[in-house]
Amino acid sequence: MSVSITMKSVVKRYGDLTIIPGLSEQVRNGEFFTLLGPSGCGKTTLLRMIAGFNSIEGGEILFNDKVINDIPAHKRNIGMVFQSYAIFPHLTVRENVEYGLKLRKTDKEEMRRRVDAILDAVQISEYQDRLPERLSGGQQQRVALARAIVIHPSVLLMDEPLSNLDAKLRVEMRSAIRAVQKKVGITTVYVTHDQEEALSISDRIAVMKKGVIQQTARPEVLYTRPYNVFVSTFLGHSNLFRAHVAAEGETRSVVFANGYKLAVPKLSKEAADGQEVIVAIRPEEFSMQEAGLTCKVATRVFLGKYMQYALDFPEEMLAGKQPSIEYSQDLGHAEHMLGVGDGVTLRPNPDKINVFTADGERSLMEGVVQNE
Amino acid sequence: MNKRALSIRPDFWTFVTLLSIAVFAIFLIYPLFSLFLSAFQDPATGEWTLDNFKLFFERKYYYQSIINSFSVTTAVTVLAVVIGTTIAYFMSLYRIRYKNLVEVCIVISLLSPPFIGAYSWVLIAGRSGVLTQFLASYGIETPPIYGFFGILLVLTLKLYPFIYLYVAGAMKNIDSALIEAAESLGCSGLRKVVTILLPLITPTILAGALMVFMNAMADFGTPMLIGEGFNVMPVMIYSEFINEVGDQANFAAAMAAIMVFITSVIFLAQKYVVNRKSFTMSSLRPMAVGHLTGWKNIVVHAGIYAVVALSMIPQLVVVYTSFLNTNGSIFTEGYSLASYETIFSTLGTAVKNTYLFSTAAMVAIVFLGMTVAYLTTRKKSLLTECIDTLSMFPYIIPGSVLGITLLLAFNDEPLLLSGTAFIIIISLVIRRLPYTLRSSSAILYQLSPSMEEASISLGASPLKTFFKVTAVMMLPGVMSGAILSWITAINELSSSIILFTGETKTMSVAIYMEVIRASYGTAAALSTILTLTTIIAMLIFFKVSGRRDVTL
């Protein structure tokens, strides 16, 4: 049966190199949980620790109440889907799916029934007698999924399962995986570096950087109320501005370097008057107004639904070097478009923008927690 | 914290590690070092001395053998490289009629027993050879086939296939875009070959040249049969060792040590050069096959057919003479199966031994090759590194030297093994294991570890996973390599000739003895059986591997 996974101060070391310095997290029973982060952040390492392919140098991992640190991989009852699919090339599709059941000495009739059901669920029944080398990437991934799920594992672990597929197939397989997971109701840990994939598929996402979880939250929360600057820039684009807090009675505002003052209703009480902050504004949170932040258009790219401008701001307005400052103009409602070199004044939407401490480590918005 | 990583439970892999270390330590390192030590010992008193080496370098009769070995080996290597590369070039880039048949013939001449060439050339062009006598009846005198030129002829025809197979393989990996790029930059003709093609296949040629050099250097049967006065090192070592005087073992050991030293230097030098120059190539689209026309076409065809025919002549002569009536050493009128009858009445054991020993060796090689390759690629540790290094040793030890080391080391209690079948099988295993090991590791590196992890995640223990998944996927590659090992094992002479006794005589040893006794009929019949077996095994190899080429 499906279980919850608890990680308590988990440590991973290779010799002197610490990959994961001490990580705690809880994956709920039946949940689709995604580890998202740039390459080298330790997400695959953590997944392989849960699987039992990597040793655990410190802390504990529990399935329900049971510590699994010392249980070898083949006794953990996990289902795993690999980036390379890892379909056994010498076995037919059906034999691949039967492999785990045979090891469990499932009786013939029961095995036939379960294999038929799962082949049907992932829609590969018609290929069941083929050898895997004659299957497409998407079909192979369906076999891998069926093979992992058919044994009724305690948890399903997926390591970048879609990264070898082309864009269209990726989207299709995404929904297939999601549908099968919901139907079986199995606790799933999914690793990816693709944010769109993570946002679309997950119940909750943990964003990782250098072996540390930056924030765990539902996809929409992660995007709209990121816990720190890293999350706000890693997920989608955020323009970062320097500002300070102005507190007048109950009203709290941010004052930008050009003196423009914007009241932010959701700014937390702990933001003190005069405190230096970073304001993160997403490209779609700007609108053209009389008062606001003044800048020039550097380049523009037409993208159909909207026009994307790169903006030139005076350096003192910005919080450090950034690859680009962007404004997306929704062409469904735009009255006029800007040309390269035009001056423009943009007003940030005060209900949407996020404010962080000056070091970028923590959100100053009300009700934002690191682990939801 | 982590008890699992710290506890070392003796399991299957510990067993394999210890077994392979034991095999190498007992049957390779210990004998080799006792040989080296005895090279520095005085035969009478057992004191440490350099006299053995001094004797070698003082007497022209002895040190001449190094010069001879070097000159003939170098000549063979150069000639084999020229012939092999040229044939490979034309066979890869132009349409050659009966290309498949030509390739099969080339492979057969490579895999056939090494000394058959020598003895059939003696039958053809020796003092009383067919050709010699035929020409003499017209008053034409032929140059002697014995000595330097005989060895050169036989070994070149026997070893150029190495270069051919290596280079033809490399040519397949050259992407046609490289050639087209050169042409688009205005380079063509011979210049294209010299500036692009040749540099690309140079590392391959060097690798092949090393194989040829090592084989030619270590070959014992050919110079023994056709060399006559032209003494080379393996022959010298053998005759000093076999010498009845009895105090020559230390001197033979010193010569063996010198020889191993030379081969090691060559081996390391080649490795150094290849490591600096190697690169990987993979071709999306191999080079197109062109057409030759007119006189060029005729010359190329004639050249290729002539070389292949020359290298096939020994096989054909042997098969033909095996059906001739004989009277002692003289072939008489008429055809019969008399030679074969003689074999089965007197030399049946040799036939049986050959198949028995080489099959036993093959089983051991497959088992050790797969498991040890798994250890050295998947379970890296200090011990497995150690095995990996040890497994390189047999590359540089000539067969006859290995034979001597084994005989010297196991001639006494408590490990009295000389004269047993076991010691011959062990020598076959030691000599061929490195090749299987290397090819098995190559296969393993191409198998994604996630395949094994998938099996483990589905509940199979790591050991079960090895046998159910890893081994199954490795098997086709390993088996085709094992068949080649089996073929070389049935044809092995240089270490068996030293290790055999009446009970453990093999076919190749028997052929050698029969040739020495001038019983050419039985020798030919035995050779025919060997050649036939080789061809059948090769057909099985092609079937198993699904390939049309051979890499040793």
Side-chain angles (χ1 to χ4, degrees):
Chain A
M1 272 298 91
S2 191
V3 298
S4 66
I5 308 169
T6 310
M7 289 156 255
K8 290 185 186 164
S9 318
V10 169
V11 177
K12 177 72 212 170
R13 265 193 297 269
Y14 289 109
D16 291 339
L17 192 67
T18 303
I19 307 292
I20 296 172
L23 180 150
S24 298
E25 188 56 76
Q26 166 102 32
V27 180
R28 294 164 197 154
N29 194 347
E31 172 178 50
F32 199 114
F33 187 88
T34 297
L35 294 169
L36 173 68
S39 57
C41 72
K43 53 192 192 298
T44 294
T45 307
L46 183 62
L47 187 81
R48 292 171 58 85
M49 288 164 88
I50 300 172
F53 298 129
N54 283 350
S55 57
I56 302 167
E57 271 69 47
E60 284 178 338
I61 297 180
L62 295 88
F63 283 1
N64 285 343
D65 300 325
K66 194 171 174 202
V67 179
I68 56 152
N69 288 31
D70 292 335
I71 301 176
H74 65 278
K75 291 186 181 148
R76 288 190 188 183
N77 194 34
I78 47 166
M80 183 133 176
V81 178
F82 296 83
Q83 186 172 4
S84 59
Y85 319 135
I87 305 294
F88 305 129
H90 57 295
L91 303 178
T92 63
V93 167
R94 194 179 181 89
E95 285 165 346
N96 262 285
V97 178
E98 283 173 344
Y99 187 88
L101 292 174
K102 278 186 182 154
L103 287 165
R104 284 166 176 72
K105 305 202 164 32
T106 315
D107 84 45
K108 277 232 164 70
E109 188 49 37
E110 161 88 357
M111 179 156 77
R112 197 188 54 76
R113 198 178 49 72
R114 270 162 72 175
V115 172
D116 281 344
I118 199 78
L119 288 175
D120 210 41
V122 299
Q123 302 166 1
I124 44 170
S125 302
E126 55 188 302
Y127 309 116
Q128 53 176 297
D129 295 321
R130 283 201 196 169
L131 282 177
E133 61 181 357
R134 296 183 47 211
L135 298 183
S136 70
Q139 289 164 341
Q140 291 201 29
Q141 198 52 279
R142 286 169 195 269
V143 179
L145 186 63
R147 186 179 67 181
I149 289 178
V150 77
I151 60 171
H152 294 169
S154 307
V155 293
L156 178 62
L157 306 175
M158 306 179 98
D159 184 7
E160 308 237 10
L162 304 182
S163 60
N164 286 340
L165 301 178
D166 65 50
K168 189 159 171 283
L169 207 50
R170 210 150 50 215
V171 173
E172 193 186 309
M173 277 305 293
R174 209 154 76 185
S175 6
I177 289 177
R178 179 71 181 164
V180 171
Q181 190 265 345
K182 280 295 146 215
K183 198 159 140 196
V184 186
I186 182 175
T187 314
T188 301
V189 181
Y190 188 98
V191 161
T192 183
H193 66 270
D194 181 330
Q195 38 168 305
E196 189 191 308
E197 195 173 300
L199 291 174
S200 67
I201 208 171
S202 318
D203 290 324
R204 281 194 308 152
I205 300 172
V207 177
M208 277 181 87
K209 177 193 162 194
K210 291 183 181 159
V212 178
I213 292 184
Q214 305 294 314
Q215 182 177 13
T216 309
R218 284 168 290 143
E220 61 272 24
V221 173
L222 216 49
Y223 188 83
T224 55
R225 291 294 172 222
Y227 181 72
N228 58 26
V229 166
F230 175 80
V231 176
S232 93
T233 51
F234 181 75
L235 230 66
H237 187 90
S238 281
N239 305 307
L240 305 178
F241 291 89
R242 286 178 53 197
H244 65 264
V245 177
E248 295 142 347
E250 286 301 290
T251 327
R252 277 158 202 278
S253 318
V254 287
V255 182
F256 291 87
N258 68 342
Y260 176 68
K261 189 173 172 183
L262 183 69
V264 181
K266 293 240 175 70
L267 195 55
S268 138
K269 299 276 178 296
E270 65 171 305
D273 190 44
Q275 184 181 352
E276 292 286 329
V277 292
I278 295 173
V279 178
I281 306 166
R282 295 200 181 272
E284 67 272 22
E285 293 167 358
F286 280 124
S287 57
M288 280 190 257
Q289 303 278 338
E290 293 296 313
L293 310 174
T294 310
C295 60
K296 267 192 180 151
V297 174
T299 63
R300 61 174 214 177
V301 180
F302 175 71
L303 291 172
K305 284 183 213 161
Y306 53 92
M307 182 74 85
Q308 184 171 304
Y309 301 99
L311 308 171
D312 265 342
F313 273 98
E315 208 169 295
E316 67 270 16
M317 297 228 14
L318 302 174
K321 272 242 168 283
Q322 295 163 57
S324 65
I325 302 296
E326 289 173 11
Y327 161 43
S328 301
Q329 185 185 27
D330 184 352
L331 294 182
H333 303 281
E335 279 156 25
H336 78 281
M337 286 181 241
L338 302 166
V340 172
D342 290 356
V344 63
T345 302
L346 298 170
R347 179 178 181 266
N349 183 342
D351 295 323
K352 295 288 170 81
I353 62 170
N354 285 281
V355 180
F356 300 101
T357 53
D359 59 6
E361 289 299 317
R362 203 156 52 79
S363 173
L364 287 171
M365 306 306 289
E366 222 158 56
V368 174
V369 290
Q370 185 168 21
N371 194 332
E372 184 180 72
Chain B
M1 283 312 283
N2 186 6
K3 289 176 212 123
R4 203 152 53 85
L6 293 178
S7 69
I8 298 171
R9 291 194 318 272
D11 61 359
F12 175 76
W13 295 112
T14 331
F15 165 74
V16 171
T17 313
L18 295 178
L19 177 71
S20 47
I21 288 190
V23 167
F24 279 120
I26 297 174
F27 298 106
L28 182 69
I29 302 305
Y30 161 66
L32 198 60
F33 279 90
S34 14
L35 178 86
F36 286 161
L37 289 184
S38 71
F40 291 98
Q41 276 175 327
D42 185 89
T45 60
E47 276 172 30
W48 300 113
T49 171
L50 286 171
D51 284 355
N52 296 317
F53 293 94
K54 225 168 88 192
L55 176 67
F56 180 84
F57 286 106
E58 268 172 0
R59 297 261 291 275
K60 185 166 195 298
Y61 172 72
Y62 292 127
Y63 71 73
Q64 182 67 35
S65 68
I66 284 199
I67 300 170
N68 288 350
S69 269
F70 250 102
S71 55
V72 79
T73 303
T74 310
V76 166
T77 309
V78 170
L79 213 53
V81 164
V82 172
I83 295 175
T85 311
T86 313
I87 295 186
Y89 175 81
F90 286 108
M91 292 269 283
S92 315
L93 290 187
Y94 298 101
R95 230 176 71 109
I96 302 295
R97 281 165 186 276
Y98 306 112
K99 185 179 167 178
N100 287 342
L101 183 65
V102 169
E103 277 205 320
V104 169
C105 288
I106 289 177
V107 175
I108 289 176
S109 48
L110 176 65
L111 292 177
S112 65
F115 45 88
I116 284 188
Y119 114 73
S120 43
W121 279 110
V122 170
L123 285 184
I124 298 163
R127 246 160 245 120
S128 50
V130 190
L131 190 67
T132 322
Q133 290 188 343
F134 175 75
L135 290 174
S137 64
Y138 290 95
I140 303 169
E141 229 177 88
T142 44
I145 189 82
Y146 304 95
F148 180 89
F149 287 103
I151 302 175
L152 180 61
L153 172 77
V154 172
L155 285 184
T156 304
L157 287 178
K158 155 101 186 124
L159 295 173
Y160 83 89
F162 267 124
I163 306 282
Y164 169 80
L165 292 172
Y166 272 75
V167 173
M171 299 276 282
K172 269 186 217 127
N173 283 333
I174 296 178
D175 197 302
S176 61
L178 289 176
I179 302 303
E180 285 159 11
E183 282 168 0
S184 74
L185 294 167
C187 177
S188 67
L190 194 60
R191 204 190 161 100
K192 192 172 68 187
V193 175
V194 175
T195 58
I196 308 288
L197 219 49
L198 219 49
L200 284 177
I201 56 173
T202 301
T204 315
I205 294 181
L206 284 176
L210 178 79
M211 293 293 283
V212 171
F213 193 94
M214 291 294 192
N215 270 279
M217 186 86 171
D219 192 63
F220 162 79
T222 306
M224 190 71 189
L225 292 176
I226 208 170
E228 295 217 328
F230 192 79
N231 264 333
V232 295
M233 288 204 78
V235 173
M236 186 73 90
I237 293 171
Y238 172 76
S239 35
E240 288 302 319
F241 186 74
I242 295 300
N243 213 325
E244 295 297 325
V245 184
D247 62 349
Q248 296 298 322
N250 295 73
F251 181 61
M255 279 198 286
I258 293 169
M259 197 166 166
V260 171
F261 176 75
I262 294 171
T263 49
S264 321
V265 169
I266 304 272
F267 180 76
L268 292 177
Q270 186 263 5
K271 244 189 138 40
Y272 176 75
V273 175
V274 167
N275 278 349
R276 275 163 42 110
K277 297 194 66 148
S278 75
F279 36 76
T280 48
M281 284 190 295
S282 61
S283 77
L284 293 169
R285 203 157 53 87
M287 289 183 288
V289 176
H291 285 263
L292 283 170
T293 48
W295 63 271
K296 278 189 189 166
N297 194 24
I298 295 170
V299 169
V300 167
H301 272 87
I304 290 175
Y305 290 162
V307 172
V308 172
L310 266 183
S311 52
M312 286 306 286
I313 282 178
Q315 321 292 333
L316 301 175
V317 169
V318 160
V319 174
Y320 173 73
T321 51
S322 73
F323 294 108
L324 290 177
N325 279 324
T326 54
N327 181 9
S329 67
I330 302 151
F331 292 109
T332 55
E333 287 291 306
Y335 303 93
S336 75
L337 291 172
S339 297
Y340 290 93
E341 280 161 21
T342 318
I343 293 176
F344 288 109
S345 58
T346 62
L347 292 167
T349 350
V351 178
K352 195 190 77 195
N353 281 345
T354 303
Y355 294 129
L356 196 66
F357 296 168
S358 44
T359 308
M362 185 175 82
V363 171
I365 287 171
V366 167
F367 176 76
L368 280 176
M370 291 199 345
T371 51
V372 174
Y374 185 82
L375 279 175
T376 52
T377 52
R378 292 281 202 268
K379 292 177 171 280
K380 287 201 170 99
S381 73
L382 207 64
L383 275 181
T384 59
E385 292 279 320
C386 192
I387 298 175
D388 210 31
T389 315
L390 282 179
S391 71
M392 301 289 275
F393 272 63
Y395 280 121
I396 52 169
I397 299 173
S400 49
V401 173
L402 185 76
I404 292 176
T405 63
L406 288 174
L407 194 57
L408 281 179
F410 301 110
N411 218 356
D412 274 320
E413 298 289 347
L415 280 166
L416 182 57
L417 294 173
S418 40
T420 60
F422 181 75
I423 196 98
I424 293 191
I425 295 170
I426 273 287
S427 76
L428 295 174
V429 171
I430 294 265
R431 288 190 66 193
R432 280 307 298 193
L433 185 57
Y435 298 89
T436 306
L437 212 48
R438 210 166 54 155
S439 60
S440 305
S441 305
I443 297 168
L444 262 176
Y445 276 117
Q446 301 206 326
L447 287 182
S448 154
S450 49
M451 209 74 82
E452 287 149 40
E453 288 171 359
S455 164
I456 291 171
S457 77
L458 291 167
S461 68
L463 188 60
K464 206 170 203 168
T465 295
F466 175 78
F467 285 111
K468 286 193 79 153
V469 176
T470 323
V472 175
M473 287 191 294
M474 285 172 77
L475 208 55
V478 174
M479 273 318 286
S480 49
I483 294 171
L484 292 182
S485 291
W486 190 81
I487 294 174
T488 47
I490 59 170
N491 293 322
E492 208 288 327
L493 177 67
S494 50
S495 61
S496 320
I497 189 77
I498 285 167
L499 293 170
F500 87 98
T501 58
E503 287 293 292
T504 59
K505 194 192 279 183
T506 60
M507 270 200 267
S508 47
V509 171
I511 296 171
Y512 173 79
M513 306 296 280
E514 295 299 294
V515 172
I516 294 290
R517 284 172 44 202
S519 312
Y520 293 125
T522 42
L526 279 170
S527 305
T528 306
I529 296 176
L530 265 190
T531 306
L532 199 67
T533 314
T534 301
I535 293 173
I536 292 172
M538 244 177 58
L539 293 177
I540 296 175
F541 164 83
F542 287 132
K543 189 93 188 150
V544 168
S545 65
R547 290 197 317 215
R548 295 219 54 90
D549 55 342
V550 172
T551 36
L552 284 169

